[in-house]
Amino acid sequence: MALRFEVLGRFNRARAARLTLPHFTCQTPLFMPVGTQGTIKGLTTDQLEEIGCQIILGNTYHLELRPGSQLIDDLGGLHKFMNWKRALLTDSGGFQMVSLLHLADITEEGVTFQSPVDGKPMLLTPEESIHIQNNIGADIIMALDDVVKTTITGPRIEEAMYRTLRWIDRCIAAHKKPDVQNLFGIVQGGLDPVLRDICVKGLVERNLPGYAIGGLAGGEDKDSFWRVVAQCTAGLPEDKPRYVMGVGYPLDIVVCSALGADMYDCVYPTRTARFGTALVPEGVLKLKQNAMATDERPIDPTCPCMVCKNYTRAYLHCLVTKDAMGSQLLSYHNLSFMMRLSRDLHMSILEGRFPEYVIIQLNFVSFVSFLTVLVNKKVSMPYCRFVRGFLRMQFPKGDVPKWVRNAMVVAGIDISECCTPAKYPRDAMDAPGTDIPELLPPTKCS
Amino acid sequence: MRFAVTKVCGGGAKARAGMLQIAGSNIETPALLLSTRKGLPAFVSRDLLASLPLPDSLLLHVCPTHFMEGPPSKTISNIGGLHHMLGLPDHILIAAAGDSIESLPTSEASNKFGASFETPAGRRLVKPSDYMELISCMKPNLWASLADEVPAWVTEKRNKVSVERTLRWLDACIALDEDSGANTLGVVVGGSSIELRKLCATEVSKRNVSGFWIGGLGFGDSPEERCSILDAAVGCLPPEKPRVVSRLGLPEEVLEGVAAGIDLFDSAYIYQLTMGGFALIFPIDMVGEKMQNGSLNSSDGDFTKINLRATTYRKDTSRIVDSCSCFTCQNHTRAYLNHLLNVHEMLAQILLEIHNTHHYLCFFRLIRDTIKTGQFDRFRQQFVQDRRAYLAAAVI
Ligand SMILES: [Zn+2]
Ligand SMILES: [Zn+2]
């Protein structure tokens, strides 16, 4: 086991922890940006450090295609190849094959797929996946699992869950670098609590360095989604990190963290940036909208990032979706937003004010930006903006979705205060064109 | 803005070193204006821009025509002008209507009312009044007047019209300018006609302008005629004011321009290199040391540059240039850049634009040093010779 996981603070099921990995000591809850091909789209490694990124995800399938894991190994591993000094995680490659390739076929041996290079049939076995990931050299590597769509029902779910358990043993046996790389097992079992329970128990018996909750964020309804998360986090060991794969939206991250999950990954912040959408405390801001053309405010006046300190919505409106710089700047802001969300979750749990963060909020970062605003006198802003909690910001009308309310009951956080319309009207800074988040599940990384 | 020539190469040569004092910065010339898209370098954001040499990297060429689709000029003005909108309060913004990437002059569509440009949003006719409204809202440090630029192959008659319009529009721009031309660079056109170039330069010099912008080059003119065009135009300009030239990008072209007495260069050369996956590697010290790790395969590059897409660099863990202190060379290998280019990742362009800009700024620094020490002509000859020798060797 090449990691240490120390829980530093708790609020009911939510936890703030220190996760010490071979290349970096991280604070959880944390969000991992997806750097599919050995780079986060449009950001340098220095910029990623600047915004507080602790760990990034590489896609094994893509890296094996180009430049090839053997080459990465020859050149000293992915950290060195991309010059990233902090932590890395690689997925098993299985999900990408199933989702990107039409002819993927899963048998007991592994995933058979058609080579995108020459069309020949290829086989990815658990052994091969681990071998490739050993070559790439990430701090955390993922077991090959039998991926099925969450929306599927029937015996296939059961077959996939048992196969995932059989494959974990092959992964463990194939893992050549347990002293420097941590193998995480993935809980499968669809939306069936019985199957999930068998899978959790089976994996826990193997005493892995960490566990992931897989097979979610694939179009299932939100009430099923949080229930699976809640069930798995309850069954997984207290002293190991828990990673919900393919999540996601800020709201999903807050809810999962309340339920005791620690790690998340998703392409959403960078992908949505390329389509001109910015993440803001109120939800999302669509910079392509006509109203943005003359909007002289920053994306988010409370955001301390380089983009919000320097650029107006009006200028970004003319860059996004057209110029490379538009997607660079928007990705920078969106990832900054996710990193700030991670930090805020960690600090509020650590300082025993997690419910306040969710319901009412006056956090340090916001206070600093409030002072900055005061000093610069660029925009005047009422206080109430800063004392609104995460849910209050996202649902000013009090229309918190049912699934969030249900999940928060299980998490032991009373959010009734947020479920009525705000006493004070939304302040002057509330943006035209600011939407509540789309309540669609984020698309899983591809 | 103040400008002073500090050193002129002796022996009939016209290359000169100067000092441009502008917006609190002292910038030595000859210097490079970095080309931009909507005011920012195509791929280098402000935090990365700050890693480039200072004050050398402070000069930016901005194109008011890039903003015709917005933001509205009133919004730009409310934000506090282009400097504030771009988040670059200390940079020196020099505006000129067209460029060679996003806003190409289209002479056949220009008419007596204004100049036409081919933009991503279609063809746009820009009148002097439109242009000056943009300028007054953007508040660049310096701006070139609106010109009717024509390619080298147009008829004598069209060329004459171009000169007439350009002069008329210069007067119109100055008349509309709040500062009556105090920050204006008068554009000199005239195609490849020596007579018209001289006429235009002489006429522009009579106006109340603070410098000159030599336009209409790089439009079908041959390298041979370019030399005499530059000589003719520069010969008619007063020596105490700065001269900018656009679209002379290749190292040899820059050296030629410097030899003709040009002070500032604007070009899309770095952008084109970057888009092609090229990295500059030529020596930038006076000794003329031979290029390191040079490949003699001309498809991979030439004496001045390498194409990082080439499979040769797949496992090359060296820096682009060993001695380079830029962000890219300090942090990344040729192998990584080769990978980024292969998988079409934007970081490739970011890293290449940083290195190429850094390298070219160092090239300009070297040019200034050789002028100051009186070695410019020797340096220029050596550079051209080395390149020729290299290309000859590559053919064999
Ligand atoms: Zn921001
Ligand atoms: Zn460099």
Side-chain angles (χ1 to χ4, degrees):
Chain A
M1 209 162 291
L3 65 75
R4 214 168 60 231
F5 186 75
E6 302 152 89
V7 175
L8 307 175
R10 278 176 212 279
F11 186 88
N12 293 343
R13 301 175 62 151
R15 56 232 210 121
R18 184 191 297 131
L19 171 63
T20 309
L21 293 167
H23 287 86
F24 197 67
T25 301
C26 313
Q27 294 183 329
T28 69
L30 61 77
F31 176 79
M32 302 181 280
V34 180
T36 299
Q37 325 210 62
T39 159
I40 302 280
K41 295 210 182 300
L43 268 77
T44 64
T45 44
D46 271 25
Q47 288 178 322
L48 289 165
E49 285 192 19
E50 170 76 31
I51 63 172
C53 176
Q54 313 183 72
I55 172 165
I56 61 188
L57 189 147
N59 286 126
T60 291
Y61 169 76
H62 288 98
L63 289 169
E64 177 62 4
L65 270 184
R66 287 179 303 193
S69 60
Q70 193 54 54
L71 183 140
I72 294 177
D73 191 30
D74 291 347
L75 302 188
L78 186 57
H79 283 93
K80 198 171 168 204
F81 185 61
M82 63 183 286
N83 192 30
W84 173 245
K85 296 180 180 66
R86 298 187 176 181
L88 284 170
L89 179 149
T90 45
D91 61 7
S92 67
F95 178 79
Q96 248 93 32
M97 287 178 187
V98 174
S99 60
L100 295 183
L101 305 171
H102 302 299
L103 295 168
D105 180 32
I106 302 172
T107 59
E108 191 56 29
E109 218 186 337
V111 186
T112 307
F113 63 100
Q114 201 179 17
S115 158
V117 181
D118 53 16
K120 285 188 190 138
M122 312 255 296
L123 178 68
L124 182 78
T125 59
E127 291 78 11
E128 182 63 14
S129 170
I130 298 300
H131 171 67
I132 296 170
Q133 295 188 73
N134 280 161
N135 278 344
I136 296 171
D139 300 72
I140 297 172
I141 63 177
M142 301 304 296
L144 186 70
D145 53 349
D146 184 354
V147 185
V148 281
K149 278 210 176 95
T150 41
T151 45
I152 284 180
T153 50
R156 176 71 185 99
I157 300 283
E158 187 170 353
E159 180 195 41
M161 187 279 289
Y162 281 114
R163 184 170 284 153
T164 298
L165 279 181
R166 288 192 295 276
W167 283 1
I168 189 70
D169 292 323
R170 290 168 60 185
C171 289
I172 294 168
H175 186 17
K176 296 268 168 22
K177 299 179 181 173
D179 50 326
V180 285
Q181 290 185 283
N182 298 286
L183 173 65
F184 278 30
I186 304 171
V187 181
Q188 289 291 350
L191 305 178
D192 184 336
V194 177
L195 296 179
R196 286 278 175 182
D197 193 50
I198 296 170
C199 200
V200 166
K201 290 210 171 83
L203 289 173
V204 172
E205 274 170 24
R206 269 89 174 173
N207 190 28
L208 294 159
Y211 301 92
I213 303 166
L216 293 177
E220 72 282 356
D221 67 277
K222 288 300 218 185
D223 231 25
S224 308
F225 162 76
W226 79 259
R227 283 178 207 280
V228 170
V229 173
Q231 186 201 346
C232 294
T233 51
L236 290 167
E238 273 299 306
D239 58 347
K240 301 281 175 69
R242 304 157 182 167
Y243 160 31
V244 188
M245 300 177 85
V247 165
Y249 282 153
L251 180 61
D252 296 359
I253 290 177
V254 170
V255 172
C256 290
S257 299
L259 294 169
D262 310 298
M263 301 168 69
Y264 312 93
D265 82 281
C266 193
V267 290
Y268 174 65
T270 40
R271 178 175 290 170
T272 207
R274 290 198 292 283
F275 296 114
T277 302
L279 303 178
V280 291
E282 296 86 352
V284 296
L285 189 67
K286 294 192 173 140
L287 284 157
K288 279 320 289 175
Q289 285 178 344
N290 291 338
M292 298 295 144
T294 53
D295 196 326
E296 292 156 26
R297 294 171 296 179
I299 296 173
D300 171 10
T302 69
C303 177
C305 91
M306 177 266 288
V307 177
C308 293
K309 274 194 289 191
N310 290 287
Y311 298 105
T312 54
R313 296 173 182 184
Y315 182 53
L316 294 166
H317 170 82
C318 84
L319 290 183
V320 293
T321 71
K322 286 189 199 133
D323 295 276
M325 188 56 71
S327 83
Q328 279 184 44
L329 295 177
L330 215 45
S331 292
Y332 188 101
H333 163 80
N334 281 357
L335 289 179
S336 298
F337 180 90
M338 298 306 291
M339 295 308 140
R340 189 158 59 119
L341 177 71
S342 306
R343 270 195 306 275
D344 287 350
L345 287 170
H346 177 84
M347 291 311 292
S348 64
I349 298 168
L350 192 65
E351 291 167 4
R353 47 178 183 80
F354 181 58
E356 287 82 354
Y357 175 74
V358 177
I359 305 159
I360 57 165
Q361 164 185 36
L362 180 64
N363 61 43
F364 180 69
V365 178
S366 299
F367 189 63
V368 168
S369 34
F370 171 68
L371 289 181
T372 319
V373 167
L374 264 194
V375 171
N376 295 341
K377 292 201 171 69
K378 273 185 96 175
V379 266
S380 66
M381 219 179 314
Y383 276 100
C384 59
R385 184 178 180 85
F386 297 110
V387 294
R388 282 192 186 161
F390 181 86
L391 289 178
R392 196 35 120 188
M393 291 298 277
Q394 300 232 331
F395 306 101
K397 293 188 202 113
D399 50 349
V400 179
K402 192 86 196 306
W403 72 271
V404 177
R405 297 188 208 193
N406 294 342
M408 286 303 186
V409 172
V410 170
I413 296 171
D414 177 9
I415 61 160
S416 54
E417 207 180 310
C418 299
C419 298
T420 52
K423 286 196 188 95
Y424 308 101
R426 296 184 81 176
D427 61 53
M429 283 306 298
D430 280 350
T434 304
D435 300 340
I436 58 163
E438 307 145 63
L439 291 172
L440 302 165
T443 43
K444 200 165 172 182
C445 329
S446 48
Chain B
M1 189 274 277
R2 281 166 59 188
F3 178 75
V5 175
T6 51
K7 167 93 189 183
V8 180
C9 274
K14 284 165 282 182
R16 59 196 211 162
M19 178 69 83
L20 182 69
Q21 288 183 305
I22 186 162
S25 293
N26 293 330
I27 309 229
E28 289 187 62
T29 62
L32 175 69
L33 310 185
L34 308 187
S35 68
T36 61
R37 253 170 130 96
K38 295 176 185 165
L40 292 178
F43 302 100
V44 182
S45 55
R46 69 188 302 283
D47 50 334
L48 296 167
L49 189 57
S51 74
L52 289 168
L54 285 169
D56 313 44
S57 61
L58 286 177
L59 297 171
L60 301 182
H61 167 217
V62 297
C63 248
T65 44
H66 289 183
F67 296 95
M68 296 192 70
E69 300 306 306
S73 42
K74 188 171 175 297
T75 303
I76 300 179
S77 172
N78 289 347
I79 293 169
L82 214 46
H83 288 87
H84 288 281
M85 189 169 83
L86 302 173
L88 300 173
D90 301 323
H91 279 69
I92 293 141
L93 307 180
I94 303 183
D99 68 6
S100 37
I101 314 163
E102 287 267 276
S103 195
L104 301 155
T106 40
S107 62
E108 67 278 16
S110 297
N111 59 34
K112 62 179 177 180
F113 301 112
S116 170
F117 296 92
E118 198 69 54
T119 75
R123 209 166 256 192
R124 291 309 190 102
L125 189 76
V126 182
K127 296 177 198 151
S129 56
D130 305 330
Y131 185 65
M132 288 314 292
E133 195 199 324
L134 284 166
I135 294 292
S136 78
C137 293
M138 293 181 176
K139 303 179 188 68
N141 299 90
L142 291 172
W143 52 273
S145 56
L146 187 68
D148 181 24
E149 290 190 274
V150 293
W153 58 79
V154 297
T155 60
E156 177 82 7
K157 191 175 162 217
R158 178 66 181 88
N159 203 5
K160 259 189 190 148
V161 170
S162 146
V163 173
E164 279 161 24
R165 280 181 193 163
T166 301
L167 290 171
R168 188 151 44 80
W169 293 345
L170 171 61
D171 292 333
C173 287
I174 294 176
L176 289 165
D177 179 34
E178 291 155 16
D179 299 316
S180 318
N183 304 311
T184 310
L185 302 169
V187 178
V188 176
V189 292
S192 36
S193 155
I194 301 293
E195 285 318 301
L196 286 175
R197 284 278 176 184
K198 282 183 176 166
L199 171 78
C200 192
T202 312
E203 280 302 312
V204 173
S205 306
K206 290 178 189 162
R207 268 66 173 185
N208 176 31
V209 292
S210 52
F212 306 94
W213 183 288
I214 299 173
L217 290 172
F219 274 128
D221 40 317
S222 68
E224 299 76 43
E225 56 188 0
R226 190 183 304 138
C227 190
S228 39
I229 295 170
L230 274 176
D231 277 343
V234 172
C236 299
L237 298 175
E240 71 278 7
K241 291 181 179 176
R243 305 145 181 173
V244 190
V245 75
S246 51
R247 298 189 196 91
L248 293 192
L250 297 170
E252 289 92 333
E253 292 176 338
V254 168
L255 292 170
E256 189 184 339
V258 169
I262 298 293
D263 307 299
L264 296 167
F265 292 79
D266 152 61
S267 89
Y269 180 56
I270 305 272
Y271 177 77
Q272 285 150 356
L273 285 174
T274 301
M275 294 314 285
F278 287 99
L280 290 171
I281 49 141
F282 60 83
I284 38 174
D285 54 22
M286 209 17 220
V287 199
E289 74 176 38
K290 292 298 171 216
M291 194 188 39
Q292 37 136 359
N293 300 330
S295 158
L296 282 182
N297 181 346
S298 57
S299 70
D300 295 352
D302 56 28
F303 171 70
T304 56
K305 59 187 187 288
I306 53 174
N307 191 337
L308 285 167
R309 283 211 174 94
T311 42
T312 329
Y313 306 112
R314 226 171 85 81
K315 288 190 163 196
D316 188 341
T317 53
S318 58
R319 300 170 174 185
I320 296 171
V321 171
D322 255 347
S323 55
C324 184
S325 60
C326 85
F327 174 84
T328 305
C329 293
Q330 291 298 308
N331 289 284
H332 297 290
T333 61
R334 294 176 173 192
Y336 184 56
L337 279 149
N338 173 263
H339 164 68
L340 293 175
L341 286 165
N342 281 334
V343 297
H344 310 287
E345 280 284 356
M346 199 198 297
L347 186 58
Q349 282 78 46
I350 297 174
L351 297 177
L352 279 177
E353 189 174 18
I354 291 174
H355 168 78
N356 287 332
T357 306
H358 186 275
H359 198 87
Y360 229 38
L361 291 173
C362 291
F363 175 58
F364 273 84
R365 192 170 279 186
L366 176 61
I367 291 173
R368 293 193 294 271
D369 288 346
T370 61
I371 295 173
K372 284 188 238 169
T373 54
Q375 295 169 291
F376 175 74
D377 281 331
R378 194 169 72 80
F379 166 65
R380 183 185 168 204
Q381 273 164 22
Q382 185 69 45
F383 189 95
V384 175
Q385 231 169 56
D386 284 355
R387 175 102 189 254
R388 258 189 222 134
Y390 182 89
L391 290 176
V395 172
I396 304 159

